[in-house]
């Protein structure tokens, strides 16, 4: 976490370690209650409120004619930028609400508990276009309660829980009795994970 203060960068991914730091979203446990609601904090690149200066708008009435049109255009651009930031923050908040509700077990207990979730399903649930969800997810990171920082896209990795289950099975095999592909498929099927042998 201190990497950003060592002069090595301002956040993102460390070139040397490939690890994330300064997450975009932090998920924590409700203080003193592990079974209570999860607390989500969304970081923003700027602190405070962004607004178009109302004094500037009132000055437009008295502006010289040759400058009024240009100033009005600049004011409208500022208002539009503020609205876009509000929409982005609102979309991120709604996305994280849906993710935290659906992926609580994964957040608290690890990769094996990831629930299958697609961007398309979340977009339908939130009533937005799938590209809105894709843009909200792209390049974002999330700090989990245990301190691990993961890409937000990991919440949409449908094969992660199957890979984790397979890792656990393979870690438990013995040299005298290695697991065949067919046996792995059967053991995974017993856990409710249906995949083909070639997969």
């Amino acid at each position: 976490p201190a990497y950003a203060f060592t002069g090595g960068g301002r956040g993102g991914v460390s070139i040397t370690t490939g690890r994330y730091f300064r997450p975009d979203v932090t998920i924590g446990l409700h203080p003193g209650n592990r079974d209570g609601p999860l607390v989500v904090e969304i970081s923003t690149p700027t602190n405070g409120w962004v607004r178009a200066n109302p004094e500037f708008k009132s000055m437009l009435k008295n502006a010289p004619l040759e400058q009024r049109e240009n100033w009005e255009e600049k004011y409208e651009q500022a208002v539009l930028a503020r609205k876009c930031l509000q929409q982005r923050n609102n979309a991120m908040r709604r996305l994280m609400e849906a993710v935290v509700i659906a992926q609580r077990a994964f957040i608290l207990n690890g990769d094996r508990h990831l629930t299958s979730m697609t961007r398309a399903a979340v977009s339908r649930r939130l009533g937005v276009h799938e590209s809105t969800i894709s843009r909200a997810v792209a390049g974002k990171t999330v700090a989990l309660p245990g301190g691990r920082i993961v890409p937000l896209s990991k919440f949409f990795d449908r094969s992660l829980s199957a890979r984790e289950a397979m890792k656990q099975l393979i870690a438990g095999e013995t040299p005298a009795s290695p697991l065949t592909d067919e046996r792995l498929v059967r053991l995974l099927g017993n856990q409710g994970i249906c995949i083909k042998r070639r997969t």
Side-chain angles (χ1 to χ4, degrees):
Y3 182 80
F5 302 99
T6 63
R10 294 186 305 250
V13 180
S14 164
I15 295 169
T16 55
T17 65
R19 294 192 178 138
Y20 296 100
F21 52 95
R22 203 174 75 181
D24 299 289
V25 179
T26 303
I27 300 173
L29 297 170
H30 194 273
N33 187 2
R34 180 177 167 80
D35 297 325
L38 294 171
V39 179
V40 178
E41 180 183 347
I42 300 172
S43 303
T44 55
T46 57
N47 293 324
W49 295 95
V50 176
R51 66 184 179 100
N53 189 335
E55 290 180 24
F56 183 78
K57 185 176 182 180
S58 64
M59 287 173 49
L60 288 175
K61 297 173 190 169
N62 301 325
L65 288 175
E66 62 274 4
Q67 293 180 329
R68 184 178 301 165
E69 187 175 323
N70 185 24
W71 288 6
E72 285 175 347
E73 182 182 333
K74 299 299 181 193
Y75 183 79
E76 292 302 320
Q77 287 174 352
V79 169
L80 179 61
R82 184 181 59 92
K83 285 181 181 175
C84 289
L85 283 171
Q86 286 176 334
Q87 286 177 341
R88 175 199 170 277
N89 292 340
N90 187 44
M92 191 66 172
R93 180 189 57 78
R94 293 177 64 216
L95 168 64
M96 289 312 302
E97 279 179 9
V99 166
V100 167
I101 290 168
Q103 302 291 8
R104 182 183 175 91
F106 164 70
I107 292 165
L108 296 176
N109 304 312
D111 293 350
R112 178 68 182 87
H113 302 275
L114 184 70
T115 303
S116 180
M117 184 168 72
T118 64
R119 290 170 175 83
V122 173
S123 69
R124 284 192 300 274
R125 179 177 171 184
L126 299 181
V128 297
H129 195 274
E130 187 176 346
S131 65
T132 302
I133 301 299
S134 294
R135 284 193 302 273
V137 168
K140 303 287 190 315
T141 56
V142 179
L144 302 178
R148 186 170 62 136
I149 300 176
V150 299
L152 180 52
S153 59
K154 188 167 191 166
F155 288 92
F156 300 93
D157 186 348
R158 291 186 286 174
S159 65
L160 181 62
S161 59
R163 291 196 314 266
E164 278 301 308
M166 194 175 306
K167 279 183 194 175
Q168 290 176 4
L169 290 171
I170 292 170
E173 71 182 346
T174 62
S177 177
L179 296 170
T180 63
D181 292 350
E182 290 85 4
R183 182 122 188 265
L184 279 171
V185 167
R186 279 197 311 277
L187 291 171
L188 289 169
N190 292 342
Q191 296 181 32
I193 301 170
C194 299
I195 59 172
K196 303 266 187 226
R197 183 195 65 78
R198 289 182 63 189
T199 306

